[in-house]
Amino acid sequence: MTTTGRADDGLRLIPFRGLRYVPERVGSLAAVTSPPYDVVVRPDGLLHLESADPYNIVRLILPQAATPTARHQQAALTLEDWLSEGVLAPDPEPALYVYEQVGGGLLQRGLIGALALSEPSEGVVLPHEDVMPHVVKDRADLMRTTAAHFEPLLLTYHGETGANGRSAGLNGSAASGPGGAGAVIERTVQHEPLLATTTEDGYSHRLWAVTDPADLAAIQADLAHHQAVIADGHHRWATYLRLRSEQSGPGPWDFGLVLLVDTARYPLRVRAIHRLLHRLPVSEALAAVAETGAFRVRTFAVPLPDALDLLAEASTEGNAFLLAGDGRFHLLDRPDEDLLARTIRTDRPQAWRALDATVLHSTLLDHVWRIPDAPEHIMYIHDTAAAVEQAERRGGTAVLMHPVREEVVRDLARQGVTMPRKSTSFGPKPATGLVLRSLTVN
């Protein structure tokens, strides 16, 4: 593992007084939660969540108004109203929170807390994707106006087990043990949770508070030996750093709300993020590919699951993509090697050059289709069926991707190499709305 120097140069996760919904004031905890802001598929997903409960968290993370400034002010006023009405209330004492998700054959447990911010050059928290400046600006304006963190980032670390059964830390030192973070989590989940709910996607969620000083000290001592990779939330992490740089001295902006998961204990799933090309019909996309001879193209009239199986099979041999939007699926594979050599930069590792997202952006979007990576041209969609449906409805092209392996993501991050934006979707993602962080509540 990459070292950052001293053994205490690693992660520092501190307790905070979480803001949580008061169950008696809302219809149900499930009805007020939401996926992360960038997973909500507009406009249908937004309207569905808004109608689920008048206090759904989407009114804070995606407020609706005529202008960006008005949207952020609306969120601040809504937060103030919910606090004064007792819909949201701070916990009585600072805590780290054990968070559990169960669903789809997967169990995930981790720690929610306020993490000390660090620059990528410090080697403590490593990004693996580029970010879009306009998204960072929007999130920064929202957080600055509301003085709150509404949803935790998802960060992973790897507590590799050494010969003595303890976790190898930043320097290869044994860090975890009977009193480490993992042990505290396993003890904590034996008790009654603060809250438990099941969201409409079938996932169950439970949350516990860790307040015992000995447990908190054990967690901090363990994490101090580790670095983390950002699994989900690159734009929010960049936002945290921007807002910290605006401050004149130490304070709450030096920390950001995160969920930290040890993937040695609880492996995550890595899924692809698809692209919707608003202004490019499928017929024009295929014509441009045929003109350049960039890829082999095969067309299939099959259900979506079968098409994804074809994509997965083709991806074992190299770069492959599925185009959708005209009622059929078009499999692009076997890219022209000379074209790849001409269009992909050579100053990056081979693993980066071979990424599907690299080939998509450098070869297809930039060279073949000549589409700028701007919101008016490209939408990023996590849900596969939604990407296809929206392409068909809007007359555009959905580009369906195959997921990257987690080890590729981690290896590139440790080399300091960022992948093209929106290359991966780690999950399951934490439900938004279970615990919030106010920067004004001590």
Side-chain angles (χ1 to χ4, degrees):
M1 178 176 282
T2 302
T3 175
T4 64
R6 304 188 315 274
D8 61 353
D9 282 342
L11 301 165
R12 182 183 171 213
L13 193 69
I14 68 168
F16 69 102
R17 290 180 65 196
L19 292 184
R20 295 191 296 112
Y21 280 99
V22 177
E24 295 79 13
R25 297 301 310 274
V26 297
S28 73
L29 287 173
V32 295
T33 62
S34 164
Y37 78 97
D38 58 337
V39 182
V40 177
V41 180
R42 298 184 187 222
D44 300 345
L46 181 65
L47 295 174
H48 173 72
L49 291 166
E50 285 184 329
S51 61
D53 190 282
Y55 298 116
N56 188 283
I57 193 69
V58 77
R59 288 178 167 80
L60 298 181
I61 62 172
L62 290 173
Q64 299 301 293
T67 67
T69 299
R71 288 199 297 271
H72 304 140
Q73 291 174 343
Q74 177 64 43
L77 290 173
T78 299
L79 176 60
E80 182 180 336
D81 288 345
W82 290 0
L83 287 168
S84 64
E85 295 169 12
V87 174
L88 288 169
D91 281 335
E93 59 181 320
L96 295 179
Y97 297 88
V98 172
Y99 175 52
E100 177 190 88
Q101 289 173 276
V102 180
L106 186 144
L107 167 66
Q108 177 179 287
R109 289 173 180 154
L111 290 165
I112 294 177
L115 185 70
L117 304 183
S118 61
E119 298 290 342
S121 60
E122 298 176 61
V124 178
V125 176
L126 303 176
H128 73 266
E129 288 182 356
D130 293 331
V131 297
M132 293 175 275
H134 74 278
V135 177
V136 175
K137 180 183 184 305
D138 177 74
R139 291 295 99 181
D141 291 343
L142 176 65
M143 291 185 198
R144 188 187 301 108
T145 305
T146 59
H149 296 157
F150 295 133
E151 43 191 337
L153 285 65
L154 176 59
L155 272 62
T156 73
Y157 72 101
H158 202 271
E160 297 97 340
T161 302
N164 61 356
R166 303 180 74 193
S167 174
L170 282 171
N171 306 339
S173 60
S176 295
V184 173
I185 290 173
E186 299 310 316
R187 286 199 304 272
T188 300
V189 299
Q190 303 306 313
H191 301 289
E192 193 72 18
L194 290 175
L195 62 85
T197 190
T198 300
T199 46
E200 66 179 7
D201 59 5
Y203 276 84
S204 65
H205 309 260
R206 296 197 294 172
L207 192 76
W208 295 261
V210 178
T211 58
D212 180 81
D215 285 342
L216 295 174
I219 291 170
Q220 189 159 38
D222 185 350
L223 296 182
H225 295 267
H226 290 286
Q227 64 183 174
V229 173
I230 301 173
D232 184 69
H234 284 80
H235 290 90
R236 282 167 282 163
W237 182 260
T239 298
Y240 290 166
L241 296 178
R242 172 182 290 194
L243 294 174
R244 181 185 66 170
S245 70
E246 298 174 359
Q247 309 308 309
S248 58
W253 296 99
D254 295 334
F255 298 83
L257 183 63
V258 305
L259 166 63
L260 192 60
V261 175
D262 177 0
T263 53
R265 290 174 177 265
Y266 301 107
L268 299 177
R269 289 176 177 159
V270 187
R271 292 183 171 143
I273 302 177
H274 311 296
R275 276 67 170 160
L276 173 60
L277 311 180
H278 297 295
R279 302 178 181 180
L280 182 69
V282 173
S283 59
E284 294 181 15
L286 293 173
V289 171
E291 183 179 349
T292 60
F295 287 80
R296 180 177 70 167
V297 180
R298 290 175 289 164
T299 298
F300 301 93
V302 297
L304 176 58
D306 294 344
L308 293 176
D309 287 342
L310 292 168
L311 175 63
E313 181 181 353
S315 295
T316 63
E317 300 180 0
N319 303 114
F321 310 93
L322 269 181
L323 305 190
D326 63 352
R328 299 177 296 173
F329 296 98
H330 310 274
L331 180 62
L332 277 57
D333 65 354
R334 299 186 182 178
D336 180 79
E337 294 295 335
D338 291 337
L339 180 60
L340 296 183
R342 294 198 309 271
T343 55
I344 296 176
R345 56 192 296 180
T346 59
D347 60 343
R348 295 292 180 94
Q350 178 57 33
W352 182 91
R353 292 169 52 80
L355 291 169
D356 286 342
T358 299
V359 173
L360 173 61
H361 284 261
S362 299
T363 303
L364 280 169
L365 291 174
D366 291 351
H367 180 81
V368 176
W369 295 327
R370 301 187 184 280
I371 294 176
D373 193 356
E376 60 268 26
H377 291 277
I378 302 176
M379 175 185 284
Y380 294 86
I381 300 180
H382 294 71
D383 184 84
T384 308
V388 175
E389 188 274 331
Q390 292 209 31
E392 292 178 346
R393 186 173 61 185
R394 301 182 182 191
T397 295
V399 182
L400 306 183
M401 311 277 286
H402 188 68
V404 182
R405 300 191 316 276
E406 181 183 355
E407 57 266 29
V408 173
V409 175
R410 190 173 296 276
D411 288 346
L412 286 173
R414 286 174 176 166
Q415 295 177 58
V417 178
T418 54
M419 300 164 64
R421 61 193 65 170
K422 299 295 184 181
S423 293
T424 61
S425 176
F426 282 82
K429 304 179 190 301
T432 298
L434 296 181
V435 59
L436 291 60
R437 177 179 179 240
S438 170
L439 281 78
T440 61
V441 173
N442 297 320

